Amino acid sequence: MSDATRSIKDALADALNRSEEKGDLVIATSVINNITEPMAEAVKALYAGIFTTQELAALSNLVFQTVSDTKFYDWEMPTLVGFTREEMQNLGVKLRELASL
């Protein structure tokens, strides 16, 4: 299981547990994984069609290429794109993680 899938499942489990603690629902199983697994797959399936794995990889490569070129990603770029160099690198990492789902 990829880290991204695990993160989705953990987030779903946390949300379900919080809802149960508030009394909004009752979880009638001792293994919450049986609930979060199909939900995580449904979330992944919903977002899978937006970009192909190759497109996500290409976007990630583009981000890393641009931030590595100081002539291109100069002092003005954070104002133009809204992200600092470090924030863009983090975006590239996120894109790469999505591509590995």
Side-chain angles (χ1 to χ4, degrees):
M1 172 185 327
S2 72
D3 289 340
T5 300
R6 186 173 311 283
S7 295
I8 292 170
K9 287 174 58 175
D10 290 346
L12 290 169
D14 289 343
L16 288 170
N17 285 326
R18 283 193 306 276
S19 291
E20 186 179 39
E21 288 168 4
K22 291 185 337 188
D24 293 339
L25 59 88
V26 175
I27 299 173
T29 180
S30 60
V31 183
I32 200 166
N33 205 28
N34 293 338
I35 298 170
T36 59
E37 180 91 26
M39 292 172 76
E41 292 304 318
V43 169
K44 286 173 37 181
L46 175 68
Y47 286 99
I50 295 173
F51 292 106
T52 67
T53 301
Q54 292 83 3
E55 289 169 334
L56 288 168
L59 289 170
S60 176
N61 291 338
L62 177 63
V63 168
F64 287 121
Q65 182 65 36
T66 60
V67 296
S68 68
D69 183 353
T70 56
K71 290 180 182 174
F72 178 78
Y73 208 92
D74 59 8
W75 63 272
E76 190 177 30
M77 285 304 280
T79 303
L80 295 173
V81 300
F83 286 153
T84 65
R85 180 183 309 274
E86 184 177 282
E87 290 169 326
M88 286 299 288
Q89 287 173 325
N90 291 337
L91 178 61
V93 169
K94 286 181 181 180
L95 289 167
R96 188 165 286 164
E97 288 171 356
L98 283 173
S100 69
L101 284 178

